[in-house]
Amino acid sequence: MKIFNTETKRKEEFVPLEPGKVRMYVCGPTVYNFIHIGNARPMIVFDTARRYMEYKGYEVNYVSNFTDVDDKIIAKAIEEGVSAQEISERYIAECKKDMEGMNVKPATTHPLATQEIDGMIDMIQTLIDKGYAYNVDGTVYFRTRKFKDYGKLSHKNLDDLRAGNRSLLVTGEDQKEDPLDFVLWKPKKEGEPSWPSPWSDGRPGWHIECSVMSKKYLGEQIDIHAGGEDLIFPHHENEIAQSECCNGKIFSKYWMHNAFLNIDNRKMSKSLGNFFTVREISEKYDLQVLRFFMLSAHYRSPLNFSAELMESSKNALERIRNAVSNLEFLAKSAADGEMTAAEQEKAAELETYRQKFEEAMDDDFNTADAIAAIFELVKFANSNADGESTKAFVESLCGEILRLCDVMGIIAKEKEELLDTEIERLIEERQAARKAKNFARADEIRSELLEKGITLLDTREGVKWKRA
Ligand code: AMP
Ligand code: ZN
């Protein structure tokens, strides 16, 4: 399996630090609003990379944070007259709903910056003790000049950057030793959330959060660090500086960055105001269509959002779903027993499509080609299964389509709609199981319903339910 490493600008063979295991960190969103579909791109593409590595047999420890302390969160809290915590908790919950809709698996751990302040203070202190950071009136800066590898990820010419930044220096920032020095800790302003520290009551800088959370949940060295390409500089460059100076080890072996999702060929972003939230898209489309759209391009190619492309993704997904439901229909009335000799020969051809799929994914997660391989498989299934086919043959075709779609996180089987009466019956069964202290069965029913899009609410007036 090859991965394009931003640091070396080459596709490299993936060799994990520990055989069979992958430690992966993906920078998560700042939670001050609903996520937009630009934010959804890294979620979907790196979730797909994770799923593929799991398919290949790796155990993936996947960590993705929520940045829950930030100027934008504070501004939104002031605007609404509520606490910053209320804002971040609200949008984390909303983000998780969107992730579920897009079939993005929850991370192994979703750390929150505000829960990791002690670790940040420790790392900053170590950096000060080692001479990599300095405190000026309660603000702690990282001394970039001291880290000889600074700039290795972004391949930037630092002298040019310094010269450029110097002329842009604003008052208050000139207490820095070097224009490229960045903040590790800053004193609070009136009304802002803050934590005590040896330097001032204040809060951490953004970059230190990820260095600390990655170290705590994955260790000092990780296999893959990922995020959108806007994070290469300064965020990831600064994370490398902090982590490598603190731990004395190479931080991440591979750096992966997705290209932007654009609209009218400009980056979709909150600040430009040219965005759609995932929630808005979900009102018009099944979010599986959004996922399909994202995966129809390579993650390192810019992708332009348009209604036409969404429509063609919808049609393409429908073609796969139609093939699956057709095969399921055939399977119901097909003859039991072994495949015929001719069918066995055909079934052996399935291997070719799987190989094509794997070759594409092994080549730096080329999801566009992987989807093309799935379409070839669908075409093959459509033209080889009919009313005469055995159940075993039809099921092997259908199983293969579902398996490959599942690796992409694409749900190719339409959810069966449960009738209201069926839901009521299951709820009654769950109540009875609980009464009999059979909690395992009760939980099983709850998850069975959840899988079919039904959420149960245990209220004082009894159990209520709603469809997702
Ligand atoms: P933010 O909340 O801005 O820190 O962004 C969270 C993640 O979304 C980061 O990995 C960003 O690089 C990524 N991101 C933001 N906007 C876009 C976009 N238009 N296209 C692709 N990725 C984006
Ligand atoms: Zn980060």
Side-chain angles (χ1 to χ4, degrees):
M1 188 171 81
K2 285 197 159 60
I3 294 183
F4 183 89
N5 186 353
T6 308
E7 187 178 342
T8 56
K9 293 189 178 169
R10 281 192 295 112
K11 279 184 198 167
E12 294 174 18
E13 189 56 39
F14 178 68
V15 183
L17 291 159
E18 198 181 327
K21 297 202 167 155
V22 180
R23 294 175 217 165
M24 179 163 183
Y25 187 95
V26 182
C27 292
T30 307
V31 277
Y32 64 102
N33 212 327
F34 287 95
I35 57 162
H36 62 68
I37 56 176
N39 302 132
R41 191 170 189 195
M43 287 180 182
I44 291 172
V45 298
F46 298 123
D47 175 64
T48 306
R50 169 196 188 171
R51 285 168 182 269
Y52 184 63
M53 291 188 284
E54 286 174 345
Y55 164 81
K56 300 264 287 186
Y58 290 108
E59 187 188 309
V60 185
N61 190 349
Y62 189 97
V63 177
S64 190
N65 66 299
F66 287 112
T67 295
D68 63 343
V69 55
D70 175 88
D71 288 342
K72 295 183 196 116
I73 300 172
I74 295 167
K76 177 92 172 175
I78 293 169
E79 187 189 311
E80 286 194 18
V82 297
S83 69
Q85 193 182 346
E86 189 169 331
I87 296 292
S88 59
E89 279 176 1
R90 182 197 306 158
Y91 290 112
I92 287 170
E94 298 297 353
C95 178
K96 287 186 173 169
K97 280 189 213 158
D98 288 339
M99 285 168 65
E100 197 183 322
M102 298 185 294
N103 203 21
V104 169
K105 289 214 262 184
T108 316
T109 314
H110 277 293
L112 304 182
T114 55
Q115 305 303 308
E116 310 290 344
I117 304 288
D118 288 350
M120 297 181 206
I121 292 176
D122 281 352
M123 189 178 274
I124 296 171
Q125 189 59 56
T126 306
L127 290 169
I128 294 178
D129 294 346
K130 289 188 169 184
Y132 288 109
Y134 57 95
N135 170 13
V136 188
D137 299 335
T139 304
V140 183
Y141 294 99
F142 186 90
R143 189 172 273 133
T144 49
R145 237 180 239 290
K146 183 131 200 259
F147 178 49
K148 63 173 183 0
D149 283 340
Y150 193 79
K152 69 174 170 180
L153 179 70
S154 52
H155 312 103
K156 287 199 182 286
N157 181 327
L158 298 185
D159 289 332
D160 286 355
L161 270 179
R162 283 201 173 95
N165 274 20
R166 188 160 292 127
S167 59
L168 290 174
L169 267 189
V170 278
T171 29
E173 290 251 297
D174 45 12
Q175 53 185 359
K176 293 200 281 189
E177 291 174 2
D178 182 305
L180 288 188
D181 290 355
F182 57 90
V183 171
L184 298 173
W185 186 268
K186 56 185 157 199
K188 69 165 184 191
K189 294 198 193 104
E190 203 39 50
E192 288 184 353
S194 68
W195 291 264
S197 83
W199 319 289
S200 59
D201 273 1
R203 60 186 165 106
W206 170 38
H207 317 300
I208 197 76
E209 295 175 9
C210 291
S211 282
V212 167
M213 293 186 272
S214 170
K215 178 174 176 174
K216 175 159 172 193
Y217 295 99
L218 296 170
E220 292 179 343
Q221 292 193 285
I222 66 173
D223 294 292
I224 302 173
H225 196 119
E229 66 183 2
D230 54 335
L231 300 187
I232 299 173
F233 188 89
H235 185 53
H236 287 163
E237 198 69 73
N238 292 351
E239 280 189 42
I240 293 178
Q242 297 161 159
S243 296
E244 299 196 355
C245 292
C246 174
N247 306 325
K249 287 181 188 150
I250 295 295
F251 177 30
S252 178
K253 263 186 108 170
Y254 305 88
W255 288 88
M256 291 177 72
H257 294 98
N258 64 273
F260 286 143
L261 178 73
N262 295 326
I263 188 156
D264 300 323
N265 296 309
R266 290 175 81 196
K267 179 194 170 190
M268 185 177 284
S269 77
K270 293 244 166 75
S271 52
L272 290 172
N274 59 348
F275 64 90
F276 291 106
T277 62
V278 170
R279 203 56 64 87
E280 281 166 332
I281 297 299
S282 76
E283 282 158 17
K284 209 162 166 223
Y285 293 97
D286 174 348
L287 287 178
Q288 283 292 298
V289 176
L290 182 66
R291 183 169 185 122
F292 194 94
F293 160 76
M294 295 281 184
L295 297 178
S296 61
H298 190 272
Y299 74 93
R300 283 188 293 110
S301 307
L303 178 58
N304 211 38
F305 181 79
S306 70
E308 294 79 54
L309 282 178
M310 283 296 282
E311 282 304 315
S312 63
S313 296
K314 185 176 167 206
N315 294 336
L317 181 60
E318 229 140 70
R319 252 168 52 219
I320 301 180
R321 287 183 166 171
N322 284 342
V324 168
S325 69
N326 187 36
L327 290 168
E328 285 185 330
F329 176 77
L330 287 177
K332 273 191 201 138
S333 49
D336 286 325
E338 285 194 8
M339 286 188 213
T340 63
E343 283 178 341
Q344 281 181 18
E345 231 169 80
K346 285 278 174 203
E349 282 181 49
L350 290 180
E351 183 61 26
T352 355
Y353 302 106
R354 196 179 314 144
Q355 264 171 17
K356 274 193 186 174
F357 174 87
E358 289 184 11
E359 265 164 36
M361 291 299 278
D362 280 340
D363 182 17
D364 189 31
F365 306 103
N366 191 335
T367 53
D369 285 1
I371 287 180
I374 294 180
F375 271 107
E376 283 185 42
L377 171 63
V378 164
K379 211 168 137 200
F380 176 81
N382 285 343
S383 50
N384 284 290
D386 55 30
E388 307 293 304
S389 309
T390 64
K391 193 175 195 158
F393 180 62
V394 173
E395 282 180 346
S396 77
L397 293 173
C398 191
E400 189 65 18
I401 298 175
L402 291 176
R403 200 159 26 248
L404 297 189
C405 284
D406 186 54
V407 179
M408 312 290 278
I410 293 168
I411 302 168
K413 203 168 152 164
E414 305 248 27
K415 281 193 188 128
E416 286 165 42
E417 279 282 326
L418 276 185
L419 295 174
D420 290 7
T421 47
E422 180 66 0
I423 297 169
E424 305 288 356
R425 194 196 61 72
L426 281 165
I427 289 175
E428 266 171 36
E429 192 190 333
R430 177 168 167 265
Q431 293 301 82
R434 285 170 117 191
K435 237 190 198 152
K437 299 218 178 330
N438 183 355
F439 298 113
R441 176 64 191 143
D443 285 349
E444 201 177 272
I445 294 175
R446 176 187 273 274
S447 22
E448 218 172 275
L449 285 167
L450 199 64
E451 233 166 67
K452 296 189 168 140
I454 312 295
T455 325
L456 298 185
L457 299 166
D458 291 309
T459 72
R460 219 179 288 169
E461 297 83 45
V463 184
K464 297 198 169 137
W465 61 270
K466 60 175 193 242
R467 289 184 202 275

